[in-house]
Amino acid sequence: MFTTISIAAFLGLFFALTFHRFRTTRPQSDPSGKADASYLPWLSTRTSAWLKTLRAAPLKDKWRASPFHKLTLLDKVLTAGLLGSFLYLAASGFLAAFFIGRGLYGAPLILHVMAGGIFSVCLAAVVFREAARFQAPRPSIPPEPPAPDRNRSVTALIKLPPLPSPQSVRAGMFWIFAAAGLALIVSTLLPMLPWLNTRGQVLMFETHRYAALVSVLAAVTFACLSAFGKPNDP
Amino acid sequence: MKKEALVLAIFLGAGLIWTLLSGQGQTPKIPTVQPWAGSRAEPAHVFPLRDDLDHLVVPTMPYPMPFSTRTSCGPCHAYNTVAGGFHFNAAASRPDAETASRARPAQPWFLVDNSTGTVLPVSHRGWKNTHHPEDLGLSDWEFTQLFGRHLPGGGPSEPGEEGQDRASRWNVSGKIEINCLACHNASPRQDHSEWARQVMRENFRWAATAASGIAEVGGMASRMHGTWDVYDGPNPDDREWAIAPNVKYRAEVFDSRHYAFMDIRRSAGDRLCLACHSTAPAAVVRRPEIDRDVHTAAGLSCVDCHRNDLSHQIVRGYETEARDMGDPFRASLSCRGCHMGEDASGKKTVTPGRLGAPWPQHKGIPTVHFRHLSCTVCHSGPKVDGGPKPVRTARANRLGIYGAALWHTDTPVIQEPVYMKGEDGKITPHRIVWPSFWGMMEGKSVTPIRPEKIRVAAGDVLDPDRRVGAILRALSPAVEPDEIPVLAAGGKILRADVDGRLAVEENESGKTARTGAGTDRTAGKPESAGQAAVTSVWGVMKSGAVNPLVPAVDPEADPNEAAYELAPRFQAVLEALRLVGWAPGQPALVYGGTTYKLTDGFLDMVVPEEDADSEKAADSGPALGWLAEDGTIQPLVSDFDLKNAVQVAGLEQALTEEQVAAILARLAESGSAAASGENPSDPGTAAVSDGVGKPTGDPAKSEETRTPEDGTGGNPNPDPRAAPAQQIGEPVYISGGRLFRLDAEGRLKASRHDAAEPAFWPAAHDVRPAQQALGWNGCGDCHSAGSSFFFAKVEGAGPLLTDKIERRRQSAFMGLGGLFQRVFGLTFAVRPVLKFVLFAAGLLIAGILLAAALIFLGRATGLAAREKG
């Protein structure tokens, strides 16, 4: 069940993010929607191009070009700690959940627990330092609504609220990631205490798995929006 | 028409093949029995007792017959259906190796022979590391003789015509039918001890009658001639020794119709189960220290969980039993089913809480434990503190047989708990027994050799302690009533125990016993044997002090005068020594150069001619020995006997490496003699010349398997099994988890071998209360760098005194990496730090999240200040 949900979620996120990229990188929008049909060829082309780019540019150059070098030492440590531990936690956890019947065990489990400790510390520090950046925007006085155009059709009057901006989504993902991280920490800590009976243990185990899934989805969304966000996005 | 016939034939053939194939590998089916009508009442059992010819037993008749359960119980309770039950069907068919390896083992039988150092796990069911009786050449008759004391009857003890070999005496003893009363007779007169005694007297046909308490049974079938038959009646010519088994029923049990009232119940109480299924730690010698199983303490009886119907396929109670037996009901009677309502796969398909079973909280126990551990790991058996402990079980160690004689034994040494993966892949506490036996190795397989053959081949290499013990027992009349004859040797004071072996009285005076008392000497050849010399003194112990058996006198005194004063003592000692069964000559005492011996009951002196040697001898103290035919004096016990007896005295081991090497050499000699067609009639010289010397007696002859003293009588028939070992292959000995063999230089070498692996079976009782469960004190009960659960050493136990034994950690038995578990255990040392870190991080993140949420809510609802546009 968890495997199915996870795979569906990952695929869904992948297509959502790539489609978003597809829609936002075209020169002009096509109100007819016919151009949407070219999404899959676009995805194929971009994927192969991305793979070529990966092969073409040496990792060393990419590493030098990454914004990591612009960070302060503390930020470097926190970023490395958070990213490294999170990558290992996600990889070991999901690979074990998908491919190993008995789940995570042995040395990978010990490393998983150790990485969990690092992750919790780094996450707390990052959330503490970055919380202000991702606060909800201060509300401004809304502009006066335009006068109704009597010549417009009825359908034009029914207007959906605008999609949130990528920046808002990123902020949302940040807080979802933080909340999922908290759930991960709680679902790790509580089973170690002599409080929960078997049902509680099972609940915590499931909480841990799904919180991990949510945190990965949030992190991926956050990272993609950060890396491929529209240039004119705020 | 032909086409139709062909189609029909193909159809039928396919059906037949499908039927045959579908039957293979299926789980044993429980026989269909008549459905229960619904009454929970138990009937009074007033019924006619019948003998095995289905004749009414009339207790008032002269020489009445014992009752037969087949004909007395059978009319209402189908005997053959009962015979298919787990207690009785072991020998019904021999399972193939694969089926047997998948089956959940139970405790096997143990063929124990202390003299030869044999502990062989025996089972008809083919469980791993056990030996099938057929492979050992054990006939049903021998099997019943060995284990009938704790057999419930039926199976091998009730063989058909094909099970009656020439050496058996079934026609004299009768067969042991299924003893229904052993489990269902609620009368307090039901007596398992009487059952055991009757079985050992070969009163097989009479055993159930005697044990039920409704009759007295006298006589011994074991003493009857092989042609005697029960219908021959008593022997009028012998009222002292060969008395035929006879029955005297208690009249008050019968009514005027000769119907007997017996208090027979479906569940007759745990007492009867425990007669064969008791288990207790060997170290606990005070009954009050033992608690009951928590289920028993809660008021449950054994059969509340271990249920059965007439099929007697009793519920064993393990998790996968429902699957194995094809009976879903059984899932509710496992620990997991009853307490958690889960079947073996963890699905909630079972009604929990039978008989008020509480729901376990298991607070703080991660669920991974329930996937990989059986419930019994944490809750059953002795705690693992410090490693597995020896336990005794009724069937292995002959517990529960009461009387003047002590029946219980220390061997086999059963160790518990040893954590191993069970047949369901879960780690389960097991009891294990390391086998020890002599065998012939061909290629990689080792074929055990029966102890009788080893005894013949080994001759006087075995039982040196018995020979020393025999001397000490013989000396008892020669000392004062408050004195005990002892042998002070090797820092030990040895005395004879009731079995004629040696017991040790550790005593400081023994360690410092004076060596100038006259009867001392030094045994062994340190340079050749590589061991310290053994100095010995025959003495008497009184009030904890040891004095020489033959007192030393003042060296300044006149020897003749001193000898005159000591003459009564000399005579008493020499007379006593004449009773030693294995004596190679008449006893003699050399003192002051004079040899004293008994001639026609009188003390006789042989004075040597005076020369330099005699003067030297005159200065020496008194020395006891045996007068050989050539006039020389041999020591009371050989150097070999003395050295080896002292080494193993007071220990659970019975053999030394020197003995094993000597016996292996003799076996190799007899094996090669057999291969070359020679008669290996002289089993002991060259290979054991060092320290053994010429045989000084045949312990195999002096030792009876059963003696009249233990109330069982001796077998008047010769034992055809005791032919010399003539197997082809390399002789080996297995003990303590190692295989011992001689190398090219004749030295003893030890190695690992599959045949030395222990027999094992899961243990489930006694169930401890929750407060004594593993994990009650936290994760550290198991997860620590030095945890007994993972790292306690399991050491191979065996009769051989050696340091070459198998030593394994518990984690090795579990099939887990020891290094990983140690590292994992270490992580628990820093776990409090991890908890604190997680708590602090979680608290900080929760606080920030709460603040952010409040801000978000404030701004979204407009409660927070708005910027001017």
Side-chain angles (χ1 to χ4, degrees):
Chain A
M1 181 69 174
F2 173 74
T3 303
T4 310
I5 291 174
S6 300
I7 291 172
F10 287 143
L11 287 175
L13 181 66
F14 174 76
F15 286 115
L17 288 173
T18 52
F19 193 71
H20 170 74
R21 179 76 176 152
F22 170 69
R23 293 289 299 269
T24 54
T25 53
R26 283 185 306 164
Q28 55 187 15
S29 62
D30 177 11
S32 67
K34 285 179 185 174
D36 291 352
S38 61
Y39 163 65
L40 288 177
W42 173 87
L43 183 62
S44 170
T45 312
R46 287 303 296 265
T47 306
S48 57
W50 180 67
L51 288 173
K52 277 179 190 169
T53 316
L54 267 185
R55 272 184 247 136
L59 278 175
K60 209 172 177 182
D61 294 346
K62 286 185 180 165
W63 171 244
R64 281 177 186 160
S66 70
F68 185 78
H69 299 286
K70 298 170 188 170
L71 301 175
T72 63
L73 178 64
L74 181 61
D75 284 335
K76 279 181 183 174
V77 170
L78 289 178
T79 306
L82 185 68
L83 197 62
S85 61
F86 185 69
L87 283 176
Y88 176 74
L89 288 168
S92 58
F94 282 101
L95 286 177
F98 292 171
F99 302 113
I100 301 173
R102 60 183 286 194
L104 197 56
Y105 70 98
L109 176 61
I110 295 181
L111 293 175
H112 191 88
V113 175
M114 291 166 65
I118 296 169
F119 173 75
S120 63
V121 172
C122 294
L123 178 68
V126 167
V127 169
F128 181 75
R129 288 167 60 84
E130 302 292 328
R133 275 182 60 197
F134 297 101
Q135 290 259 337
R138 292 173 185 277
S140 55
I141 296 169
E144 290 294 320
D149 183 357
R150 295 179 184 277
N151 296 326
R152 292 181 68 179
S153 63
V154 177
T155 52
L157 292 175
I158 306 169
K159 193 177 179 183
L160 291 170
L163 282 171
S165 67
Q167 181 64 9
S168 306
V169 175
R170 279 184 65 210
M173 290 301 120
F174 174 83
W175 290 113
I176 290 173
F177 185 73
L182 177 63
L184 285 167
I185 291 170
V186 170
S187 61
T188 305
L189 180 61
L190 284 183
M192 286 196 260
L193 303 172
W195 296 341
L196 299 179
N197 62 15
T198 306
R199 283 179 182 149
Q201 296 280 343
V202 172
L203 178 67
M204 284 299 112
F205 180 72
E206 295 298 326
T207 303
H208 196 78
R209 284 153 68 108
Y210 287 101
L213 177 61
V214 169
S215 70
V216 169
L217 295 174
V220 170
T221 308
F222 183 90
C224 286
L225 290 178
S226 300
F228 305 117
K230 211 173 166 184
N232 55 354
D233 279 347
Chain B
M1 188 64 188
K2 276 185 181 175
K3 191 178 176 184
E4 287 169 353
L6 184 65
V7 169
L8 185 63
I10 292 171
F11 184 76
L12 289 175
L16 181 64
I17 291 169
W18 180 83
T19 307
L20 290 173
L21 290 178
S22 62
Q24 285 184 353
Q26 280 198 343
T27 53
K29 292 295 176 195
I30 301 168
T32 306
V33 295
Q34 193 173 3
W36 175 53
S39 172
R40 300 187 183 207
E42 294 211 24
H45 280 75
V46 183
F47 60 108
L49 296 180
R50 297 183 173 277
D51 64 20
D52 53 7
L53 288 181
D54 206 13
H55 295 156
L56 181 68
V57 170
V58 180
T60 50
M61 284 181 68
Y63 197 65
M65 293 288 286
F67 69 82
S68 153
T69 52
R70 183 185 282 274
T71 56
S72 302
C73 309
C76 297
H77 311 285
Y79 187 90
N80 289 335
T81 304
V82 175
F86 187 72
H87 279 85
F88 318 109
N89 67 359
S93 62
R94 185 170 181 169
D96 60 86
E98 192 191 336
T99 307
S101 67
R102 277 190 280 111
R104 181 180 171 91
Q107 180 180 333
W109 299 96
F110 290 97
L111 172 57
V112 176
D113 185 88
N114 286 323
S115 172
T116 57
T118 301
V119 177
L120 264 171
V122 179
S123 172
H124 287 92
R125 300 189 191 269
W127 292 317
K128 197 174 178 190
N129 301 337
T130 66
H131 300 268
H132 197 281
E134 275 177 20
D135 299 341
L136 299 174
L138 270 181
S139 65
D140 288 338
W141 170 258
E142 291 167 325
F143 189 89
T144 305
Q145 276 190 311
L146 284 167
F147 308 119
R149 55 184 162 76
H150 282 96
L151 274 175
S157 59
E158 192 186 17
E161 292 302 315
E162 71 281 358
Q164 303 194 11
D165 60 310
R166 276 196 312 137
S168 69
R169 286 164 49 87
W170 295 110
N171 60 315
V172 179
S173 65
K175 298 171 186 175
I176 306 186
E177 295 176 343
I178 291 170
N179 185 12
C180 310
L181 303 179
C183 306
H184 295 289
N185 185 9
S187 164
R189 284 181 176 273
Q190 179 67 33
D191 184 1
H192 178 75
S193 303
E194 183 62 21
W195 168 271
R197 279 191 288 272
Q198 295 294 332
V199 167
M200 299 310 278
R201 292 169 186 168
E202 293 181 9
N203 292 349
F204 295 168
R205 192 196 310 267
W206 294 265
T209 303
S212 71
I214 66 167
E216 299 168 34
V217 172
M220 294 189 195
S222 60
R223 291 180 179 176
M224 303 307 292
H225 195 272
T227 57
W228 181 81
D229 186 274
V230 64
Y231 298 103
D232 293 347
N235 180 2
D237 298 327
D238 191 344
R239 294 176 184 277
E240 296 291 331
W241 172 254
I243 300 172
N246 55 84
V247 186
K248 192 186 288 180
Y249 284 100
R250 290 171 50 224
E252 68 271 23
V253 174
F254 294 85
D255 63 14
S256 61
R257 299 168 298 169
H258 307 305
Y259 280 24
F261 165 70
M262 301 183 79
D263 190 5
I264 291 172
R265 298 181 195 175
R266 180 176 173 74
S267 168
D270 292 354
R271 168 180 97 88
L272 301 181
C273 308
L274 292 172
C276 295
H277 296 285
S278 280
T279 304
V284 176
V285 293
R286 287 166 15 116
R287 177 71 182 83
E289 292 178 22
I290 297 290
D291 290 334
R292 288 184 290 168
D293 187 289
V294 290
H295 297 90
T296 311
L300 272 67
S301 66
C302 303
V303 293
D304 283 330
C305 299
H306 300 290
R307 304 178 185 188
N308 66 279
D309 58 10
L310 186 64
S311 73
H312 281 68
Q313 286 291 357
I314 202 155
V315 171
R316 295 174 66 189
Y318 61 95
E319 280 184 22
T320 53
E321 187 176 17
R323 183 195 66 198
D324 293 350
M325 300 296 288
D327 180 10
F329 160 72
R330 289 170 188 252
S332 67
L333 290 172
S334 69
C335 312
R336 192 173 183 175
C338 209
H339 287 278
M340 301 174 79
E342 295 176 356
D343 62 15
S345 63
K347 291 178 183 164
K348 303 265 183 195
T349 58
V350 180
T351 306
R354 278 185 180 273
L355 304 173
W359 179 276
Q361 292 291 320
H362 285 141
K363 283 186 176 175
I365 309 286
T367 54
V368 65
H369 291 79
F370 309 131
R371 288 202 299 275
H372 298 298
L373 305 179
S374 72
C375 306
T376 49
V377 164
C378 302
H379 294 282
S380 290
K383 288 189 84 171
V384 68
D385 301 339
K389 307 282 191 308
V391 296
R392 293 197 187 111
T393 73
R395 290 195 292 128
N397 302 95
R398 311 201 310 183
L399 306 181
I401 305 173
Y402 299 100
L406 296 176
W407 285 67
H408 66 266
T409 59
D410 288 333
T411 47
V413 177
I414 303 174
Q415 296 171 323
E416 181 191 6
V418 176
Y419 298 104
M420 307 167 74
K421 279 186 181 165
E423 76 293 337
D424 58 355
K426 284 188 171 182
I427 292 169
T428 306
H430 282 73
R431 297 187 183 123
I432 67 166
V433 170
W434 299 89
S436 50
F437 59 92
W438 302 88
M440 284 289 177
M441 187 162 73
E442 268 190 285
K444 287 187 178 177
S445 75
V446 177
T447 306
I449 303 175
R450 294 273 295 274
E452 299 86 355
K453 295 183 177 180
I454 295 301
R455 229 176 274 139
V456 171
D460 64 328
V461 179
L462 293 173
D463 296 325
D465 55 339
R466 275 195 185 278
R467 286 190 285 281
V468 176
I471 291 173
L472 291 170
R473 288 182 76 174
L475 286 172
S476 292
V479 301
E480 297 299 321
D482 58 346
E483 292 177 336
I484 305 170
V486 294
L487 174 66
K492 297 175 179 175
I493 299 175
L494 312 176
R495 62 172 172 79
D497 66 11
V498 290
D499 296 323
R501 307 197 89 99
L502 293 178
V504 174
E505 300 262 355
E506 286 294 346
N507 184 301
E508 191 59 31
S509 63
K511 290 174 184 171
T512 57
R514 288 181 295 140
T515 55
T519 55
D520 60 318
R521 65 193 178 84
T522 300
K525 297 176 181 175
E527 64 278 10
S528 60
Q531 295 167 347
V534 178
T535 302
S536 65
V537 178
W538 295 97
V540 290
M541 187 177 214
K542 183 177 181 180
S543 305
V546 177
N547 295 307
L549 179 67
V550 180
V553 294
D554 182 1
E556 301 298 323
D558 179 3
N560 291 330
E561 197 173 323
Y564 179 76
E565 287 176 10
L566 291 172
R569 183 74 164 191
F570 290 178
Q571 180 150 4
V573 169
L574 293 175
E575 280 179 352
L577 288 175
R578 290 174 71 183
L579 299 175
V580 175
W582 56 268
Q586 66 165 311
L589 190 148
V590 180
Y591 179 47
T594 304
T595 301
Y596 296 84
K597 62 177 182 174
L598 294 175
T599 304
D600 298 330
F602 294 98
L603 193 65
D604 194 9
M605 294 193 305
V606 179
V607 181
E609 293 176 7
E610 288 195 8
D611 55 18
D613 288 345
S614 64
E615 278 179 19
K616 191 178 175 184
D619 295 336
S620 64
L624 284 164
W626 306 111
L627 191 59
E629 286 179 2
D630 60 1
T632 58
I633 304 290
Q634 293 183 357
L636 274 188
V637 290
S638 68
D639 293 347
F640 178 85
D641 282 359
L642 182 62
K643 193 166 50 177
N644 289 288
V646 167
Q647 278 190 57
V648 298
L651 305 175
E652 63 186 36
Q653 288 83 6
L655 296 172
T656 63
E657 289 188 9
E658 189 178 6
Q659 285 176 289
V660 169
I663 295 171
L664 287 176
R666 290 190 179 193
L667 285 171
E669 195 176 281
S670 64
S672 59
S676 62
E678 295 171 16
N679 180 13
S681 55
D682 183 9
T685 45
V688 287
S689 58
D690 247 11
V692 179
K694 212 173 170 183
T696 53
D698 187 353
K701 287 179 186 170
S702 64
E703 181 184 48
E704 291 289 336
T705 306
R706 290 175 288 115
T707 58
E709 284 86 345
D710 66 11
T712 63
N715 189 340
N717 299 314
D719 187 352
R721 296 163 294 175
Q726 293 187 359
Q727 285 90 339
I728 305 301
E730 182 189 359
V732 295
Y733 180 62
I734 281 168
S735 174
R738 295 290 176 96
L739 179 143
F740 294 85
R741 60 209 289 196
L742 294 179
D743 65 8
E745 284 82 39
R747 290 173 302 196
L748 204 59
K749 292 287 180 190
S751 59
R752 291 196 172 97
H753 195 278
D754 285 348
E757 289 297 302
F760 57 87
W761 63 99
H765 292 285
D766 288 342
V767 177
R768 303 191 298 267
Q771 289 186 57
Q772 294 176 19
L774 279 180
W776 178 264
N777 302 310
C779 309
D781 276 1
C782 298
H783 298 295
S784 59
S787 120
S788 292
F789 178 76
F790 283 114
F791 308 117
K793 276 189 180 171
V794 183
E795 296 193 338
L800 176 59
L801 182 63
T802 178
D803 58 353
K804 301 183 191 85
I805 56 172
E806 184 68 5
R807 293 181 178 87
R808 273 184 224 161
R809 298 199 182 281
Q810 292 272 15
S811 56
F813 276 99
M814 296 179 209
L816 302 175
L819 178 63
F820 166 74
Q821 294 301 337
R822 210 172 278 280
V823 172
F824 191 57
L826 280 172
T827 65
F828 282 79
V830 294
R831 186 159 279 209
V833 178
L834 177 68
K835 288 177 187 173
F836 176 77
V837 167
L838 290 175
F839 177 75
L843 195 65
L844 180 60
I845 295 170
I848 295 170
L849 277 171
L850 184 64
L854 288 175
I855 292 170
F856 175 79
L857 282 174
R859 290 177 178 173
T861 56
L863 291 174
R866 290 182 176 177
E867 281 184 358
K868 288 184 179 177

